[in-house]
Amino acid sequence: MIVASSARAQTVDTISPDLRTKIDRIAEQVLKQTGVPSASVAVVQHGKLVYTHAYGLARLQPPKKATPDMRYSIGSISKQFTATAILLLQEGGKLSIDDPVGKYVPGLTRGDDVTIRQILSHTSGYQDYWPEDYVMTPMLKPETAQQIMETWGKKPLDFEPGTQWQYSNTNFVIAGAIVEKVSDESLWQFLGEHVFHPLEMKSAWNSDEHKLTDVDSTAYYRHALAPLRVAPKEGVGWMYAAGELATTAHDLALWDESLIAGSVLKPESYKQMSTEVKLKDGKATEYGLGVGVHYVDGHRDIEHSGEVSGFVSDNEVLIDDGAAVAVLTNQDAVGAASMIARLAVPIVADLPLKPAEQQALDIYRGLQKGTIDRNLLALNLSDYFTPEAIKDYQSSLAPLGEPLSLHQGTEDLRGGMTFRSFTITYPYRRLRLTTYTYPDGKLEQYLIAPTQ
């Protein structure tokens, strides 16, 4: 089944002009820095889709501008949809994620010992059939899920189940096969009925079975620094449950809305999906079921990136803040999508700066204008900031403009002071700021240098 592209407008713009300007600036400058042809971005704020926009060229020859209604392959972001299908089947009493995979797919290595939970969390030990960032020659020909499982699912495990975390596409081929066995439907039919149709994700497209159309984005890659070339299409069957979905950023954001609202799964299922799976020795994996589980300044981030031939995507959801940023790009092996999403999502969520970050940013902005508040400085640092030093700071920093972010990294004690390091990010460069602060709040150091 192919879901046809939606006739509904994919352009949404209900955010503040200031936020729109910031998002546009991030996307445009990251594309300029990386040389990636295009990006399609969707923003969710306060739990609702508020902005979609596309940047750059979806096709180079003949030139065609990217628009929000164009689909891109989203690669491994598809894994959370496969995990959702498994969880829906569990809600229906048809399986348990703690069942052994061998109950549904016979003949796999240690099939009676590896659980569904372990394949969904990449703790199974099954070897990855596609770790490369390019399409190997055998992958240009068709393959089946059964053949992939015969080849990689019957190898010796890379480690004892549950003792290590290792990303493996093979896990999700097995998961997809389980969905089809238990539901007696194709994975795509099951997702259409239970996810895509209810959420009105009308652009959803099975890019494993069907190449994207002429009205969609074109996939690109390059050799080293050579000109971009149209990327080859993987053979049918290789992406399957590990990366089959193509969609617009708009419709991926509809999925993000559902994650925030909890509208597809029951609360316990969402809890299982978004809870970090621990190894047997208690070590962290930073991965749940089909999703990464991270924190942005203490705010829970349910995220995943994706890559298939010619496309890279990233989806970041600060689920407790009702904020999400979905970014789709059309060049493989380049991290532009993640750069855009990770710079944008704290701004969308309006995460406050720490007091030390705000002070550091205020001083930075002052130096760009050739001023500094000497009331903040201890005697040595005040002496350091001579008229010559302030002039040098202004002349070198002012042309850079407002940074995309200023973020604190390490914090340690030394010499009776607190040492802090910060990263000041621009799309085309990063600066390192280091400070020493006395207990009374006076600064003994404020130094900026390029990152190594």
Side-chain angles (χ1 to χ4, degrees):
M1 177 180 70
I2 304 172
V3 182
S5 184
S6 173
R8 183 179 58 183
Q10 301 271 300
T11 299
V12 179
D13 187 356
T14 59
I15 60 172
S16 69
D18 179 61
L19 180 56
R20 183 193 312 114
T21 298
K22 290 177 179 177
I23 299 296
D24 291 349
R25 180 168 172 257
I26 289 170
E28 289 165 357
Q29 293 192 24
V30 168
L31 290 186
K32 182 178 179 181
Q33 176 196 1
T34 60
V36 169
S38 76
S40 187
V41 176
V43 173
V44 175
Q45 191 176 44
H46 308 304
K48 298 297 181 183
L49 176 59
V50 295
Y51 189 53
T52 61
H53 198 75
Y55 310 83
L57 295 177
R59 184 181 305 152
L60 300 180
Q61 293 297 332
K64 186 174 184 178
K65 288 185 178 181
T67 62
D69 60 347
M70 292 178 173
R71 289 173 292 212
Y72 294 65
S73 289
I74 67 171
S76 288
I77 295 176
S78 304
K79 289 180 170 65
Q80 58 201 270
F81 292 92
T82 303
T84 296
I86 291 283
L87 290 167
L88 285 167
L89 290 170
Q90 178 176 251
E91 290 178 1
K94 296 184 177 181
L95 56 75
S96 166
I97 61 171
D98 291 314
D99 287 340
V101 295
K103 181 177 179 179
Y104 307 100
V105 183
L108 299 174
T109 300
R110 304 281 300 276
D112 293 335
D113 301 319
V114 176
T115 66
I116 297 174
R117 186 190 300 270
Q118 288 168 337
I119 62 171
L120 295 181
S121 61
H122 298 298
T123 59
S124 67
Y126 288 116
Q127 190 175 105
D128 189 2
Y129 73 87
W130 191 7
E132 298 86 351
D133 292 316
Y134 66 96
V135 179
M136 298 81 73
T137 302
M139 293 185 68
L140 298 174
K141 298 179 180 179
E143 186 67 297
T144 66
Q146 186 61 42
Q147 288 170 326
I148 290 172
M149 291 187 292
E150 287 287 336
T151 304
W152 282 273
K154 296 186 177 181
K155 287 187 175 185
L157 299 183
D158 283 353
F159 50 83
E160 189 68 17
T163 64
Q164 295 184 43
W165 186 89
Q166 180 176 285
Y167 194 87
S168 174
N169 289 288
T170 307
N171 287 319
F172 278 79
V173 171
I174 297 169
I178 291 173
V179 172
E180 296 190 342
K181 176 70 175 295
V182 174
S183 70
D184 198 29
E185 293 181 274
S186 74
L187 173 63
W188 193 256
Q189 288 175 318
F190 187 89
L191 289 174
E193 293 168 12
H194 297 277
V195 180
F196 303 147
H197 292 167
L199 297 181
E200 297 190 17
M201 295 175 62
K202 296 181 180 179
S203 70
W205 180 271
N206 188 339
S207 60
D208 183 36
E209 293 188 0
H210 306 279
K211 185 177 180 180
L212 288 174
T213 71
D214 290 340
V215 300
D216 296 312
S217 182
T218 300
Y220 290 97
Y221 79 113
R222 71 166 87 235
H223 299 120
L225 304 180
L228 288 162
R229 299 178 183 276
V230 175
K233 173 74 173 68
E234 306 90 344
V236 172
W238 282 104
M239 294 188 291
Y240 183 48
E244 79 280 21
L245 180 58
T247 183
T248 61
H250 174 285
D251 283 6
L252 183 55
L254 296 181
W255 165 251
D256 293 341
E257 283 186 350
S258 78
L259 289 177
I260 293 166
S263 62
V264 172
L265 296 169
K266 295 178 180 178
E268 179 59 27
S269 295
Y270 279 117
K271 182 178 179 181
Q272 290 180 325
M273 172 185 274
S274 61
T275 299
E276 177 187 52
V277 172
K278 303 281 186 159
L279 300 179
K280 288 184 176 180
D281 62 4
K283 289 183 179 177
T285 64
E286 296 188 348
Y287 204 88
L289 306 181
V291 294
V293 182
H294 304 290
Y295 288 86
V296 177
D297 292 335
H299 296 249
R300 191 162 53 120
D301 180 19
I302 306 304
E303 62 78 35
H304 216 291
S305 59
E307 180 181 18
V308 293
S309 182
F311 295 101
V312 176
S313 57
D314 192 52
N315 194 43
E316 306 277 337
V317 186
L318 298 187
I319 198 161
D320 302 318
D321 299 274
V325 178
V327 184
L328 315 181
T329 63
N330 62 334
Q331 181 186 341
D332 63 22
V334 181
S338 292
M339 291 173 65
I340 295 169
R342 291 170 187 176
L343 286 169
V345 74
I347 299 171
V348 173
D350 196 22
L351 300 186
L353 295 178
K354 300 174 184 176
E357 291 173 328
Q358 188 62 61
Q359 182 190 60
L361 181 58
D362 290 343
I363 293 172
Y364 184 86
R365 289 167 171 164
L367 287 169
Q368 287 182 306
K369 298 175 182 177
T371 65
I372 192 164
D373 183 356
R374 293 189 181 274
N375 292 322
L376 301 173
L377 314 182
L379 180 60
N380 289 331
L381 186 56
S382 185
D383 288 345
Y384 167 82
F385 275 112
T386 62
E388 177 186 77
I390 292 177
K391 183 178 180 180
D392 285 349
Y393 270 74
Q394 179 184 19
S395 63
S396 61
L397 299 180
L400 302 181
E402 180 72 6
L404 297 177
S405 68
L406 185 149
H407 188 267
Q408 182 181 324
T410 58
E411 179 174 315
D412 299 296
L413 296 177
R414 183 176 177 184
M417 298 174 286
T418 300
F419 169 81
R420 296 183 178 93
S421 68
F422 305 84
T423 299
I424 302 170
T425 301
Y426 289 91
Y428 44 86
R429 69 170 60 190
R430 290 188 177 188
L431 306 177
R432 183 171 185 258
L433 163 64
T434 57
T435 65
Y436 279 101
T437 307
Y438 285 110
D440 66 1
K442 295 280 189 178
L443 288 165
E444 176 72 4
Q445 177 168 302
Y446 188 99
L447 298 181
I448 292 174
T451 56
Q452 299 297 317

